[in-house]
Amino acid sequence: MKVTFSPIIRKLAIATLLALTLPALGEDGSRLWLRYDLMEEPLRSHYAETIKSLVAPEQGETMAAAIAEIDMAMEGLTGRKPERTTLPVAGSLVIVTLKNPLARQLVTKEELAGCGNEGFLIRSLQYRGQPIILIAANTPAGALYGTFRLIALMQSGNPLGDLHLQKRPGYKFRLLNHWDNLDGTVERGYAGRSIWWNHEGDEERLRELYTTYARANASIGINGASINNVNASPQVLTPEYIDRFARFAGYLRPYNMKIYMSVNFSSPKIIGGLATSDPFDPKVRQWWKDKVKEIYTKIPDFGGFLVKANSEGQPGPQDFGRTHADGANMLAEALEPYNGIVMWRAFVYQPEGDDRAKQAYTEFKPLDGQFHPNVIVQVKNGPVDFQPREPFSPLFGAMQKTPLMAEFQITQEYLGFSSHLVYLAPLQKEVLDADTYARGPGSTVAKTTDGTLYPSRHTAIAGVANIGRDTNWTGYHFAQANWYAYGRLAWDPGLRAGDIADEWLKMTFTRDERFVRKAGNIMMRSREAAVNYMTPLGLHHLMGWDHHYGPEPWTWFEGARPDWLPSYYHKADTAGIGFDRSPRGSNAVEQYFSPIREQYGDPGSCPDELLLWFHHLPWGYPMRSGRTLWNELAYRYTDGMLEAREFQKIWDMLEGAIDDKRFQEVKYKLKVQAREAQWWRDACLLYFQTFSRRHIPAELERPVHDLQELQKQKFDLKHHN
Amino acid sequence: MKVTFSPIIRKLAIATLLALTLPALGEDGSRLWLRYDLMEEPLRSHYAETIKSLVAPEQGETMAAAIAEIDMAMEGLTGRKPERTTLPVAGSLVIVTLKNPLARQLVTKEELAGCGNEGFLIRSLQYRGQPIILIAANTPAGALYGTFRLIALMQSGNPLGDLHLQKRPGYKFRLLNHWDNLDGTVERGYAGRSIWWNHEGDEERLRELYTTYARANASIGINGASINNVNASPQVLTPEYIDRFARFAGYLRPYNMKIYMSVNFSSPKIIGGLATSDPFDPKVRQWWKDKVKEIYTKIPDFGGFLVKANSEGQPGPQDFGRTHADGANMLAEALEPYNGIVMWRAFVYQPEGDDRAKQAYTEFKPLDGQFHPNVIVQVKNGPVDFQPREPFSPLFGAMQKTPLMAEFQITQEYLGFSSHLVYLAPLQKEVLDADTYARGPGSTVAKTTDGTLYPSRHTAIAGVANIGRDTNWTGYHFAQANWYAYGRLAWDPGLRAGDIADEWLKMTFTRDERFVRKAGNIMMRSREAAVNYMTPLGLHHLMGWDHHYGPEPWTWFEGARPDWLPSYYHKADTAGIGFDRSPRGSNAVEQYFSPIREQYGDPGSCPDELLLWFHHLPWGYPMRSGRTLWNELAYRYTDGMLEAREFQKIWDMLEGAIDDKRFQEVKYKLKVQAREAQWWRDACLLYFQTFSRRHIPAELERPVHDLQELQKQKFDLKHHN
């Protein structure tokens, strides 16, 4: 494969250099966390002396990308690129893979075996009595990841004294899912239009864009992206679009990223001209085989298909009386020869069905064991839909013969779009660390999906991207942190959310200790704040019908799908509030293993945070706090609002610690968040008060909004996309 | 004069009785403070036994009104009307004027001399060994006022054990000014359309309306009303409109209220067909004489004219090179034979003139001594225009040979319309009690206008009415308090604002002690709260250009009258803020007497509350609090906002203490107020921050609004009228 990206990397280096000279003016967020600005002393000299030269003898575009990156980073951080030498000398950074003889002088094959395909070692060594740093891996991909990690250590201000790092990813497939439509809009995206589709920019600018995108992903270990909406257009399988996928694959390939495609199950009929798309029809099966072959001809390292089938109106195998397994296996067969995978989404529910929270499990659990080995069932983290807080999906741990992958949302569909600062790593950690008890205590969601408990050829994780054409990529500087943290957790689910926040803050803003501490404090409190001002105590799905932004717990209209109405979920009445999923109700708790089942099934042992998810309780129900349920609800909502105000105060203390442009932009968004936290809190409390008929505790601030006025407001979705 | 109102009073009695049986349902505010609901025991029996019978031997419509009122009140409060007897017996209430022989048996002429024309005595007496209560006065008007006072004592729950009350009004003319246009709109009125004009209701309903209006005014001692806008239509002087004034005069007459008329100075030309309206033209003078004669033919007790001349575009004598005195005297001559008066407004200012705050003084002070004795110069309480806080107008005390009358606004043009709870008695007291030092210490504004310091045939006071066609009369239940308190202070400027509030609360809502204490607490804090969230530290005129409702300290547009722009007043710049009216600036302080002049002229001695009215000070100016000026400003604005929130909390504690309808209506308005207090505070702080470039103190809540977004908002005035 020809190395075609050098010019663009050179261009990037120039852009970075320019940014260095004008650091205060240029901080528009476009560089993400890949900011290689001149370090202050003594770190600058320390890095410059520790990495004076570079030994990177291997060819190939991925190795070239690693070299270009370290050159750019060193030039930015220290003002000087390392010299290239052929043999290590004092102050050399050596980047090698196992196949290089030099590697074998510095590290054993056994040591490298622990790195797997994409892992790496970073070590401080003596080479012939001279201090050097080694990045070693089994593959160029591993070398690239190691290089980015070493750069991150420097960006974060760590000394390079005695490095001894060995890392390998927790999941094999670490994907972004872009819900981008071919017309350039982004479903539930709040950072402008699609970077992929209907984007007719100057070719060089696009190449720069995709290269930065790939660098950012490689820097955190993301190795694949499905780049069209799961509500997929059949058009993507036309030769014209396959060519576009191939072009994108070319941009991403040096950075070890594969392209995936969301496909429409009716494609054989719609674009193939067949009479049916029935997976049992031989012509249909052949059509898919031919189509896959065509793809691989153009994209030899194509990743595979992502499928949303028989879900929210999308076609699927059930249209022909077949099962999800039947449908997935047909595609899997076609992809198998090329090592492609199928990610088949379990996000299915019918309005006429049982409790929506039960339906994915009800439908998929019986299929366990029927899927081909290269099918991964992709399961949203919770049983409903990316709510501010849900329990983990009961499918995790329950499907033991089928690889499952967790799907998280990075975009904040239900968490304030790109207007609210909500750091999502604590949410993701809460899910990954949740104990399913599938194989006894310690059977966390992470362990049920990363191969620990159920060995599988394939382990994977997906995050719905929050990326768009906005200059700062994600619409909000702090939303970049959710992209970053998702990637870091996909690589290592054992990382701590706070550590990731600190690292990201240092790389993205400044290493000023006070800033990192205070801004990190906001980040770590932000998700619980949002839960509290939006949907505390296990409430969920209280948002506006179509926009999913503001509160509309009251939404109702003639002919509405009942399971899209908030009342389906909160079930507030004069007696109480909450969805009874205990054995006396929908018995959704039955889908969990013991002792979770019993713990969640009894309001006395169910955690407060999930109480109204699993129980319908009287307004006067005595909570652990000693308050009634109604009063506790009022307290939580108020706490959330006060937290949002507190974030403003904390942020304002940080003026001057970072560039004014981003400071002001964040300040503005925090205002919006505080204002809207009150909107949420007032709307929900006032609405539920029409049922509870109880007072808001006298010591709490009163609502300033009027319920009837709020109910009359029509939200303008265009504002956000 | 024929007593024509008995049927309507009978009707009212029935309405009151109905209201009694359904007290909780009917509380729409339409009864104002004239609520005669059944008292609880033991007060009910106490009142019933103390006033078992009524001795009221005199004829006349005003005496009949008094009798009807006490009948209605006793029937409402105790369930039983007093019997009519001709001679006092045990438990008689005797209502008499001096001319009745019975009066002379019970009270001396000398004692009654102290009551003047409109005062009264209320006494517990023994008549032939039997306990009676006496209301005695020199006139039926005095007897009426005494009757209302006795009723108020009962409504407030006072025992009638040992009464010994003697009252006479502080001002001779106690007027409401209605700024009502003939098309039925009300300038700066926020309680619906005019009760007077373009009001084509059922005659009986209108009669009921005007009678309730007159009763309410009589109950607090208001004895006159100008019922058309000071921006006067010449039409009012046409025979058709004079007839309407006559009809209104008939409704009010039994309650001792006179009708006044705002006239347009160009009337001779516009409706008289003359070539000019020059006051030196004999034909013009004759035209006015003829017109006045025509009025008095139809309205024998017509009160006189109110004139806004050469002010804000209104015509006036200066159009012909004559002075305000020339114009006023022409009208005074015409009215003199009928004992009519001219109230000539001093609210004049020109855009090209000196500091607007100085202009009224500059123009009128030299005319002192030139006005006819039946001219009263009507002076707005402050030198600009009814701002939340102004210093008193320097004309008070300065014009020593001319009767001056204070004009207050009851309608809340600059104080949140009928959306904000702002009790204005503290503002009015602040002005009335302000020491002008015109004749040394103790020369309060009240004493300069009530005849104490400058004896005059005429003393007067005016309040711009907040009355409209809304069911509750004033658009907000609590705005009724401003009508009430104005009347009480016009009668007795020595009353305390808190006492008036308590009395009004008891009569209007409930005598529940906790309610009165807490609601009274809100009222007494409310004006300072509004000053703080709108215009603290002497700031003024920061409101929106046309609507005068919300904050627009930034307003500017091409061709705007500079003295209508907020920047004319706040003069904020990077150096500081405030209007320098010290001797180094416009020297407006010179218009005040010593030592006020020196006190206000020096920022070191100028009270914080007026600091930026008189001084332009640097943002870092050290305040008495130890804070910088900027920080103090931030604190005051924040305090105001927090106060508005606190009012909500206090009010919510009162649920159940009063009827739910009014409770909820007030609760709603307090929400709006809290929301808008933040709007005001955020807008002003953010705007001034663009000059100060200082931080809002870290411990204070941050703004949640964005300056640019606020600046883009267009306010819909129609919402409020």
Side-chain angles (χ1 to χ4, degrees):
Chain A
M1 236 165 258
K2 222 175 115 215
V3 182
T4 54
F5 64 101
S6 297
I8 178 63
I9 289 189
R10 208 178 311 125
K11 235 185 174 189
L12 278 171
I14 293 165
T16 304
L17 209 62
L18 277 173
L20 288 181
T21 55
L22 298 165
L25 292 177
E27 296 290 11
D28 56 10
S30 61
R31 294 190 292 164
L32 295 159
W33 49 87
L34 302 172
R35 292 164 66 257
Y36 304 146
D37 293 345
L38 205 60
M39 304 292 291
E40 76 285 359
E41 294 292 4
L43 280 173
R44 189 199 306 172
S45 298
H46 168 60
Y47 295 150
E49 278 156 34
T50 311
I51 304 177
K52 278 194 290 215
S53 61
L54 179 64
V55 181
E58 290 162 79
Q59 300 299 312
E61 58 182 359
T62 298
M63 199 55 91
I67 293 165
E69 198 72 28
I70 193 75
D71 275 352
M72 206 171 8
M74 292 308 292
E75 180 156 21
L77 297 171
T78 71
R80 204 175 53 75
K81 263 201 270 197
E83 287 171 52
R84 293 294 289 273
T85 59
T86 45
L87 281 176
V89 294
S92 281
L93 169 65
V94 178
I95 306 179
V96 284
T97 67
L98 185 60
K99 73 175 183 191
N100 189 276
L102 183 58
R104 291 191 290 273
Q105 292 179 45
L106 299 167
V107 65
T108 67
K109 195 173 169 180
E110 290 66 37
E111 286 175 303
L112 273 177
C115 295
N117 265 337
E118 298 183 310
F120 56 84
L121 288 169
I122 304 179
R123 289 203 183 151
S124 304
L125 291 177
Q126 295 289 322
Y127 178 78
R128 298 183 180 175
Q130 302 295 331
I132 63 160
I133 294 177
L134 169 71
I135 298 176
N138 291 310
T139 62
L144 178 70
Y145 294 139
T147 302
F148 271 112
R149 194 90 299 260
L150 181 69
I151 294 170
L153 289 176
M154 289 190 280
Q155 284 180 278
S156 312
N158 297 91
L160 303 182
D162 186 23
L163 297 170
H164 198 91
L165 233 68
Q166 176 161 9
K167 301 283 177 191
R168 61 183 294 174
Y171 294 96
K172 181 175 173 187
F173 301 105
R174 303 174 299 280
L175 266 73
L176 287 184
N177 289 180
H178 291 264
W179 288 357
D180 292 14
N181 300 311
L182 304 187
D183 65 0
T185 59
V186 179
E187 178 157 334
R188 310 302 179 194
Y190 316 104
R193 295 170 72 82
S194 170
I195 59 170
W196 305 109
W197 307 110
N198 206 4
H199 193 181
E200 306 305 335
D202 162 59
E203 175 62 25
E204 275 305 292
R205 286 192 58 111
L206 286 180
R207 184 185 284 274
E208 184 180 323
L209 176 77
Y210 299 127
T211 304
T212 305
Y213 168 85
R215 289 171 58 228
N217 281 314
S219 76
I220 50 176
I222 289 172
N223 66 0
S226 64
I227 62 171
N228 64 309
N229 194 350
V230 288
N231 294 322
S233 165
Q235 292 305 112
V236 291
L237 288 167
T238 58
E240 182 203 339
Y241 272 94
I242 294 172
D243 286 344
R244 297 196 193 192
F245 276 81
R247 203 180 95 221
F248 293 137
Y251 295 135
L252 308 189
R253 187 170 292 119
Y255 292 93
N256 194 47
M257 278 192 83
K258 286 185 179 175
I259 282 282
Y260 296 77
M261 184 188 280
S262 295
V263 294
N264 184 303
F265 202 78
S266 291
S267 300
K269 184 169 176 187
I270 299 175
I271 64 153
L274 301 190
T276 177
S277 298
D278 182 351
F280 281 10
D281 184 301
K283 282 191 213 133
V284 171
R285 299 179 86 83
Q286 190 57 46
W287 185 88
W288 281 108
K289 282 179 180 162
D290 294 343
K291 189 49 77 179
V292 166
K293 185 176 177 186
E294 179 188 346
I295 294 171
Y296 277 92
T297 308
K298 293 173 174 171
I299 315 170
D301 56 353
F302 177 71
F305 292 147
L306 170 60
V307 193
K308 175 178 181 177
N310 292 123
S311 164
E312 297 184 325
Q314 293 298 314
Q318 294 179 332
D319 303 346
F320 312 97
R322 318 303 177 191
T323 69
H324 282 286
D326 297 333
N329 290 341
M330 170 184 66
L331 301 179
E333 266 176 36
L335 288 159
E336 216 285 324
Y338 312 95
N339 293 317
I341 58 168
V342 175
M343 293 165 290
W344 192 272
R345 291 173 93 240
F347 179 62
V348 297
Y349 62 103
Q350 300 294 336
E352 62 278 9
D354 194 7
D355 174 5
R356 172 172 167 188
K358 292 172 67 180
Q359 293 188 43
Y361 182 102
T362 306
E363 194 142 356
F364 277 80
K365 170 72 168 125
L367 302 175
D368 194 16
Q370 298 180 24
F371 290 97
H372 281 214
N374 60 330
V375 175
I376 312 180
V377 173
Q378 180 165 321
V379 180
K380 287 191 180 183
N381 61 271
V384 171
D385 190 11
F386 298 134
Q387 293 300 295
R389 172 169 276 122
E390 301 191 21
F392 63 86
S393 165
L395 278 168
F396 294 117
M399 288 185 77
Q400 311 198 344
K401 300 171 206 150
T402 310
L404 293 197
M405 62 190 287
E407 176 180 325
F408 290 104
Q409 217 174 31
I410 304 170
T411 195
Q412 294 168 234
E413 175 177 357
Y414 300 101
L415 284 144
F417 292 11
S418 53
S419 297
H420 293 205
L421 193 168
V422 183
Y423 178 51
L424 294 175
L427 183 161
Q428 290 159 11
K429 283 293 285 180
E430 182 175 289
V431 175
L432 292 168
D433 293 349
D435 199 338
T436 68
Y437 287 89
R439 291 266 167 102
S443 305
T444 61
V445 170
K447 288 186 181 166
T448 67
T449 53
D450 69 2
T452 308
L453 292 177
Y454 311 123
S456 152
R457 248 170 66 202
H458 301 311
T459 62
I461 190 165
V464 180
N466 60 349
I467 294 162
R469 231 175 277 176
D470 280 0
T471 305
N472 69 9
W473 293 88
T474 54
Y476 191 173
H477 297 296
F478 270 93
Q480 295 180 357
N482 291 331
W483 177 7
Y484 185 89
Y486 163 74
R488 295 288 288 134
L489 285 173
W491 179 280
D492 183 356
L495 291 173
R496 293 193 302 182
D499 292 344
I500 300 172
D502 284 2
E503 182 179 272
W504 174 80
L505 284 166
K506 288 175 185 170
M507 295 166 77
T508 306
F509 288 105
T510 174
R511 292 185 318 284
D512 175 275
E513 205 180 299
R514 186 167 153 273
F515 177 86
V516 173
R517 193 176 65 246
K518 287 187 180 291
N521 183 258
I522 294 177
M523 289 173 77
M524 288 304 288
R525 290 156 72 175
S526 61
R527 186 264 183 145
E528 205 61 35
V531 168
N532 279 333
Y533 64 68
M534 290 176 169
T535 53
L537 296 177
L539 288 173
H540 49 293
H541 212 291
L542 303 183
M543 70 290 165
W545 172 266
D546 52 355
H547 53 73
H548 295 185
Y549 186 63
E552 288 187 20
W554 49 78
T555 299
W556 183 92
F557 53 89
E558 197 61 47
R561 243 183 98 153
D563 57 347
W564 287 356
L565 291 177
S567 58
Y568 177 97
Y569 302 93
H570 64 66
K571 300 205 187 298
D573 54 30
T574 53
I577 185 171
F579 196 132
D580 187 356
R581 293 182 167 118
S582 79
R584 289 164 306 284
S586 80
N587 204 15
V589 292
E590 192 189 34
Q591 298 181 340
Y592 291 92
F593 289 91
S594 283
I596 293 288
R597 179 189 297 171
E598 292 77 17
Q599 189 199 345
Y600 289 179
D602 177 352
S605 54
C606 184
D608 282 356
E609 283 61 35
L610 295 172
L611 194 59
L612 303 179
W613 185 284
F614 287 111
H615 300 281
H616 186 82
L617 296 170
W619 296 106
Y621 180 81
M623 302 288 291
R624 289 184 183 83
S625 62
R627 298 183 187 119
T628 61
L629 171 58
W630 165 253
N631 280 7
E632 185 68 26
L633 203 63
Y635 262 90
R636 299 267 179 146
Y637 268 114
T638 306
D639 281 353
M641 175 182 77
L642 295 177
E643 281 283 276
R645 290 187 191 156
E646 195 61 25
F647 298 161
Q648 291 187 285
K649 281 193 192 177
I650 298 171
W651 185 254
D652 275 7
M653 289 179 212
L654 301 175
E655 186 160 9
I658 62 166
D659 55 288
D660 196 54
K661 181 172 163 57
R662 288 188 297 174
F663 174 81
Q664 295 298 345
E665 286 168 4
V666 172
K667 180 174 172 150
Y668 170 80
K669 298 248 182 181
L670 288 174
K671 258 183 213 186
V672 173
Q673 183 170 8
R675 204 160 68 212
E676 296 183 343
Q678 177 141 34
W679 173 32
W680 266 97
R681 173 239 188 207
D682 284 5
C684 295
L685 277 185
L686 289 171
Y687 176 70
F688 292 135
Q689 197 177 32
T690 65
F691 299 103
S692 80
R693 299 185 189 163
R694 285 166 182 254
H695 293 115
I696 293 168
E699 60 277 22
L700 300 184
E701 257 186 60
R702 324 316 285 169
V704 298
H705 295 99
D706 182 70
L707 181 59
Q708 290 184 306
E709 287 169 11
L710 291 175
Q711 289 179 331
K712 269 184 264 170
Q713 279 179 14
K714 292 291 159 230
F715 186 77
D716 180 9
L717 178 62
K718 286 190 289 291
H719 183 56
H720 278 275
N721 211 337
Chain B
M1 236 166 256
K2 222 174 119 214
V3 182
T4 54
F5 64 98
S6 297
I8 179 63
I9 290 188
R10 209 179 309 125
K11 235 184 175 189
L12 279 172
I14 293 166
T16 305
L17 207 62
L18 276 175
L20 288 182
T21 54
L22 299 166
L25 292 178
E27 296 290 11
D28 56 9
S30 61
R31 294 191 292 163
L32 295 160
W33 48 87
L34 301 172
R35 291 165 65 257
Y36 305 146
D37 293 344
L38 205 59
M39 304 291 290
E40 75 285 359
E41 294 292 3
L43 279 174
R44 188 200 306 172
S45 297
H46 169 60
Y47 294 151
E49 277 157 35
T50 312
I51 305 177
K52 277 194 292 215
S53 61
L54 178 64
V55 181
E58 289 162 80
Q59 301 300 312
E61 58 182 357
T62 297
M63 198 54 91
I67 292 165
E69 198 71 28
I70 193 74
D71 276 351
M72 206 170 7
M74 292 308 294
E75 181 156 22
L77 298 171
T78 70
R80 205 174 54 74
K81 263 200 273 197
E83 285 171 52
R84 291 294 290 274
T85 58
T86 45
L87 282 178
V89 294
S92 281
L93 169 65
V94 179
I95 307 179
V96 283
T97 67
L98 186 61
K99 73 175 185 190
N100 189 276
L102 185 56
R104 291 191 290 273
Q105 292 178 44
L106 300 167
V107 65
T108 67
K109 196 173 171 179
E110 291 66 35
E111 284 176 304
L112 272 177
C115 294
N117 265 337
E118 298 182 312
F120 56 84
L121 287 170
I122 303 180
R123 288 205 184 151
S124 304
L125 288 177
Q126 296 287 323
Y127 178 79
R128 297 184 180 172
Q130 302 295 332
I132 64 162
I133 294 176
L134 170 71
I135 298 175
N138 290 311
T139 62
L144 179 70
Y145 292 139
T147 302
F148 271 112
R149 194 88 302 258
L150 181 69
I151 294 170
L153 289 176
M154 290 189 280
Q155 285 179 278
S156 311
N158 296 89
L160 302 183
D162 186 23
L163 299 169
H164 198 90
L165 233 69
Q166 176 161 12
K167 300 284 177 191
R168 62 183 292 173
Y171 294 97
K172 182 174 171 187
F173 301 106
R174 304 173 299 280
L175 265 73
L176 289 183
N177 289 181
H178 292 264
W179 287 357
D180 293 14
N181 299 312
L182 303 186
D183 66 0
T185 60
V186 179
E187 179 158 333
R188 309 303 178 192
Y190 315 105
R193 295 170 73 83
S194 170
I195 59 170
W196 305 110
W197 307 112
N198 206 3
H199 194 182
E200 306 306 334
D202 161 59
E203 174 61 26
E204 274 303 294
R205 284 191 62 110
L206 286 181
R207 183 186 285 274
E208 184 179 323
L209 177 77
Y210 299 127
T211 303
T212 305
Y213 169 85
R215 289 172 57 228
N217 280 314
S219 77
I220 50 176
I222 289 172
N223 66 0
S226 64
I227 61 170
N228 64 309
N229 194 351
V230 289
N231 294 321
S233 166
Q235 292 305 111
V236 292
L237 287 168
T238 59
E240 184 204 338
Y241 272 94
I242 294 172
D243 286 344
R244 296 195 194 192
F245 275 81
R247 203 178 95 219
F248 293 137
Y251 296 134
L252 308 190
R253 188 168 294 118
Y255 292 93
N256 195 46
M257 279 192 82
K258 287 183 178 175
I259 282 282
Y260 296 77
M261 185 188 280
S262 295
V263 293
N264 185 304
F265 202 79
S266 292
S267 300
K269 184 169 176 184
I270 299 174
I271 63 155
L274 301 190
T276 179
S277 296
D278 181 351
F280 283 9
D281 185 301
K283 281 191 212 136
V284 170
R285 300 179 85 82
Q286 190 57 47
W287 187 87
W288 281 109
K289 281 180 181 162
D290 294 344
K291 189 50 76 177
V292 166
K293 184 177 177 186
E294 179 189 344
I295 294 171
Y296 276 92
T297 307
K298 290 173 174 168
I299 315 171
D301 57 353
F302 178 71
F305 291 148
L306 170 61
V307 192
K308 175 178 182 178
N310 292 123
S311 164
E312 296 184 326
Q314 294 297 315
Q318 295 178 333
D319 302 346
F320 312 98
R322 319 303 177 192
T323 69
H324 283 286
D326 297 333
N329 289 342
M330 170 184 66
L331 301 179
E333 267 177 36
L335 286 159
E336 216 285 325
Y338 312 95
N339 293 316
I341 59 169
V342 175
M343 292 165 291
W344 192 272
R345 292 174 92 238
F347 179 63
V348 297
Y349 62 103
Q350 300 293 335
E352 61 278 8
D354 194 5
D355 174 4
R356 171 172 166 187
K358 292 172 67 181
Q359 293 188 44
Y361 182 102
T362 306
E363 194 142 357
F364 276 81
K365 170 75 168 127
L367 301 175
D368 194 17
Q370 298 181 24
F371 291 97
H372 281 213
N374 61 330
V375 175
I376 313 179
V377 172
Q378 181 165 322
V379 180
K380 287 190 180 183
N381 61 271
V384 170
D385 190 11
F386 297 135
Q387 293 300 295
R389 172 169 278 121
E390 302 191 22
F392 64 87
S393 166
L395 277 169
F396 295 117
M399 289 184 76
Q400 310 198 342
K401 298 171 205 150
T402 310
L404 293 197
M405 62 190 286
E407 177 180 325
F408 290 104
Q409 218 175 30
I410 305 169
T411 195
Q412 294 168 235
E413 175 176 359
Y414 300 100
L415 283 145
F417 292 11
S418 54
S419 297
H420 294 204
L421 192 167
V422 183
Y423 177 51
L424 294 175
L427 183 160
Q428 290 159 11
K429 283 293 286 180
E430 183 174 290
V431 175
L432 291 168
D433 293 348
D435 199 339
T436 68
Y437 288 88
R439 292 265 166 104
S443 305
T444 62
V445 169
K447 287 186 184 166
T448 67
T449 52
D450 69 2
T452 308
L453 292 177
Y454 311 123
S456 151
R457 247 169 66 200
H458 301 309
T459 63
I461 190 166
V464 180
N466 60 350
I467 294 162
R469 231 176 277 178
D470 280 0
T471 304
N472 69 10
W473 294 89
T474 54
Y476 191 173
H477 297 296
F478 270 92
Q480 295 179 358
N482 291 332
W483 178 6
Y484 185 89
Y486 163 74
R488 296 288 288 134
L489 287 173
W491 178 280
D492 183 358
L495 291 174
R496 293 192 303 183
D499 293 343
I500 300 173
D502 285 1
E503 182 179 270
W504 174 80
L505 284 166
K506 288 176 184 167
M507 294 166 76
T508 305
F509 287 106
T510 174
R511 291 185 318 285
D512 175 276
E513 205 179 302
R514 187 168 151 273
F515 176 87
V516 172
R517 192 176 65 248
K518 287 186 180 293
N521 183 259
I522 294 176
M523 289 172 75
M524 289 303 289
R525 291 156 71 174
S526 62
R527 186 264 182 145
E528 206 60 35
V531 167
N532 279 333
Y533 64 67
M534 290 177 169
T535 53
L537 296 178
L539 288 172
H540 49 293
H541 211 293
L542 303 182
M543 70 291 163
W545 171 268
D546 52 356
H547 53 73
H548 295 186
Y549 186 63
E552 287 188 19
W554 50 77
T555 299
W556 183 91
F557 53 90
E558 196 63 46
R561 246 184 95 153
D563 56 348
W564 287 356
L565 290 177
S567 56
Y568 177 96
Y569 302 93
H570 63 66
K571 301 204 187 299
D573 54 29
T574 53
I577 185 171
F579 197 132
D580 187 357
R581 293 182 167 120
S582 79
R584 290 164 305 284
S586 79
N587 204 14
V589 293
E590 192 191 35
Q591 297 181 339
Y592 291 91
F593 289 91
S594 283
I596 293 289
R597 179 189 296 170
E598 292 76 18
Q599 190 199 344
Y600 288 179
D602 177 353
S605 54
C606 183
D608 282 356
E609 283 60 35
L610 295 172
L611 194 61
L612 303 178
W613 185 284
F614 288 110
H615 301 281
H616 187 81
L617 296 170
W619 296 107
Y621 181 81
M623 301 288 291
R624 289 183 182 84
S625 62
R627 300 184 185 116
T628 62
L629 171 57
W630 165 254
N631 281 6
E632 184 68 26
L633 203 63
Y635 263 89
R636 298 269 178 145
Y637 269 115
T638 306
D639 280 353
M641 176 182 77
L642 296 177
E643 280 284 277
R645 290 188 192 155
E646 194 61 26
F647 298 161
Q648 291 187 283
K649 281 192 191 176
I650 298 172
W651 185 255
D652 274 8
M653 290 179 211
L654 301 176
E655 186 161 6
I658 62 164
D659 55 288
D660 196 56
K661 181 172 164 56
R662 289 187 298 173
F663 175 80
Q664 295 297 347
E665 286 168 3
V666 171
K667 180 174 172 152
Y668 171 80
K669 298 249 181 180
L670 288 173
K671 259 182 211 184
V672 173
Q673 184 171 6
R675 204 159 68 212
E676 296 183 343
Q678 178 141 32
W679 173 32
W680 265 97
R681 174 242 189 205
D682 284 6
C684 294
L685 277 185
L686 289 170
Y687 176 70
F688 292 134
Q689 197 177 32
T690 65
F691 300 103
S692 80
R693 301 190 188 157
R694 284 167 181 253
H695 293 114
I696 293 168
E699 61 277 24
L700 299 184
E701 258 186 59
R702 324 316 284 168
V704 297
H705 295 98
D706 182 70
L707 181 59
Q708 290 183 306
E709 288 169 10
L710 291 176
Q711 289 178 331
K712 269 184 264 169
Q713 280 180 14
K714 291 291 159 232
F715 185 79
D716 179 9
L717 178 61
K718 287 191 288 289
H719 183 55
H720 277 276
N721 210 338

